[in-house]
Amino acid sequence: MSASARLLTAILISAVPIWGDARAASAGAGVPMIVPVQIPYEAPPRPEAVPDTSVPQNTKPLSQEELQRAEALLPLLEGKQEFWAMGEFVHLGEPVVPVLVKALTMPGPRLRYNAIETLSMLKATAAVPALLETAKQPNEMPRIREHALRVAVRLDPLQAPAAIELMAKDQNPTIRKTAAFESRYVRHKAVIPVLISLLSDEERFVAISAIHSLWLLTRHESEMHNWEASTQQERQEWAQEWIDWWNASKETFELPEPRKSKGVAPQG
């Protein structure tokens, strides 16, 4: 018996005393008696496999007409048609990347943010230098700088160390935290001294992001400290431990292989 059938039976059984009283009352009143009946339950049929009808991305160079159409789509990245416009850019494929890069310097923060998101959907590694340039701009909105760095790191992390180093010195602590957090996805020794420099940051949340990234990247068994409740003076002292370790190890240190997620079946 299925779970739904058992549940229905339990409901009907629990209702028998009530219906029993109603049966006695209805018998005296000449009303037809109601008898509970278990209704068989049949699960709905499984849906049939549907063929993939999605339209593949374009890989051919854009024609002059397509290029003009892409240029006309740029203002639509901000407004009621923004999701439709993003889909159109994705359909045009990676050849449209130079047009989208123009959007990174256009007025309208939502337009710039959506351009970054569209480049992410296109997996456009050719746009990484432009994304990193956006991330480094001190006058750009923090939310856009964060998103630009995040997408650039996901597309090609090995291009990111110079931008991360610059952002780690930014006046905005949110930007420094972003640099510390995204560093954990950059498997390059250049980010390690940058992260060590952030351990003594005046903002505790920046230092905590930095120490977590250091642990993930290096797996160095450092002294355990209460970073969550630390003062800046304590963080400066603890940072010296990492400085000493790095000075002694940087010539021979190699980044360990990233940990594999548990429960994932091996490929092959």
Side-chain angles (χ1 to χ4, degrees), residues 196 199-200 227 234-243:
I196 292 174
L199 294 179
S200 56
W227 293 86
E234 288 173 329
R235 295 194 292 276
Q236 290 172 343
E237 296 172 0
W238 301 340
Q240 189 60 47
E241 298 172 6
W242 280 88
I243 293 171

Side-chain angles (χ1 to χ4, degrees), residues 17-157:
I18 300 174
W19 286 350
D21 294 341
R23 185 168 53 228
S26 62
V31 179
M33 184 172 59
I34 299 174
V35 179
V37 178
Q38 178 178 330
I39 302 172
Y41 171 78
E42 293 184 5
R46 293 185 178 182
E48 297 180 0
V50 178
D52 184 7
T53 57
S54 60
V55 179
Q57 286 186 13
N58 172 55
T59 57
K60 299 178 181 179
L62 299 182
S63 65
Q64 188 62 33
E65 182 180 350
E66 288 173 325
L67 188 60
Q68 292 175 352
R69 182 168 179 270
E71 296 275 0
L73 284 171
L74 286 176
L76 300 181
L77 284 173
E78 182 177 32
K80 294 181 179 180
Q81 293 181 294
E82 59 187 28
F83 294 119
W84 173 82
M86 292 166 72
E88 290 298 297
F89 277 116
V90 171
H91 172 61
L92 289 170
E94 197 161 351
V96 83
V97 167
V99 177
L100 279 169
V101 165
K102 293 181 181 179
L104 299 179
T105 56
M106 290 178 66
R110 188 171 182 87
L111 184 151
R112 298 195 298 276
Y113 189 95
N114 284 337
I116 295 169
E117 185 64 21
T118 307
L119 290 168
S120 175
M121 292 189 289
L122 282 167
K123 297 180 172 58
T125 55
V128 169
L131 289 168
L132 292 174
E133 193 61 35
T134 298
K136 292 188 294 184
Q137 293 302 316
N139 296 325
E140 180 57 276
M141 293 180 63
R143 186 170 69 98
I144 294 175
R145 295 178 67 187
E146 291 177 73
H147 196 38
L149 180 64
R150 185 181 307 113
V151 171
V153 167
R154 299 305 182 276
L155 293 175
D156 190 354

Side-chain angles (χ1 to χ4, degrees), residues 146-198:
E146 291 177 73
H147 196 38
L149 180 64
R150 185 181 307 113
V151 171
V153 167
R154 299 305 182 276
L155 293 175
D156 190 354
L158 295 184
Q159 292 191 49
I164 287 174
E165 183 177 4
L166 181 66
M167 295 171 75
K169 301 173 184 176
D170 199 272
Q171 294 183 354
N172 189 328
T174 301
I175 298 299
R176 299 199 301 273
K177 179 184 181 295
T178 300
F181 184 87
E182 294 301 327
S183 292
R184 67 190 60 180
Y185 302 108
V186 180
R187 298 189 53 75
H188 195 293
K189 290 170 64 173
V191 301
I192 295 177
V194 175
L195 287 168
I196 292 174
S197 71
L198 291 173

Side-chain angles (χ1 to χ4, degrees), residues 224-253:
M224 298 302 296
H225 302 293
N226 188 356
W227 293 86
E228 284 74 12
S230 61
T231 64
Q232 187 178 15
Q233 182 176 353
E234 288 173 329
R235 295 194 292 276
Q236 290 172 343
E237 296 172 0
W238 301 340
Q240 189 60 47
E241 298 172 6
W242 280 88
I243 293 171
D244 295 340
W245 167 78
W246 183 240
N247 288 336
S249 307
K250 60 184 176 182
E251 298 300 331
T252 57
F253 177 77

Side-chain angles (χ1 to χ4, degrees), residues 5-17 19 36-39:
R6 289 197 297 270
L7 177 61
L8 182 57
T9 302
I11 294 172
L12 292 173
I13 291 173
S14 64
V16 166
W19 286 350
V37 178
Q38 178 178 330
I39 302 172

